[in-house]
Amino acid sequence: LFENISPITSALLENEITTAIQNYEPRVSLTNVNVVPDEKNNAYNVTLTFFLENTATSTSISLILERNR
């Protein structure tokens, strides 16, 4: 999160989050990762939508990625 906030950085974060979940969390079937830049707060709003193994209910989690000093 040390890069300037931009659509390119958002796409890179989205790709890295997707890859990490697919590689390291086999109990999750990821359906959507949405990364939205928040330039005012120097942060990214991230929303993950997924199914847990053996469930039919979709789950969404929203979080904020921000730089700490």
Side-chain angles (χ1 to χ4, degrees):
L1 295 177
F2 298 105
E3 298 289 331
N4 291 328
I5 295 200
S6 71
I8 294 170
T9 306
S10 294
L12 290 171
L13 280 170
E14 193 172 301
N15 185 48
E16 290 297 321
I17 291 168
T18 300
T19 300
I21 291 172
Q22 288 173 341
N23 289 338
Y24 299 108
E25 188 46 79
R27 300 168 294 180
V28 169
S29 176
L30 197 57
T31 57
N32 188 36
V33 176
N34 189 23
V35 178
V36 178
D38 181 358
E39 294 177 9
K40 180 180 175 187
N41 295 313
N42 197 30
Y44 289 91
N45 298 316
V46 178
T47 304
L48 305 172
T49 306
F50 57 91
F51 288 94
L52 292 173
E53 189 175 82
N54 299 323
T55 64
T57 305
S58 176
T59 303
S60 285
I61 296 176
S62 296
L63 54 107
I64 298 172
L65 295 178
E66 60 187 351
R67 182 176 174 186
N68 290 325
R69 285 193 179 174

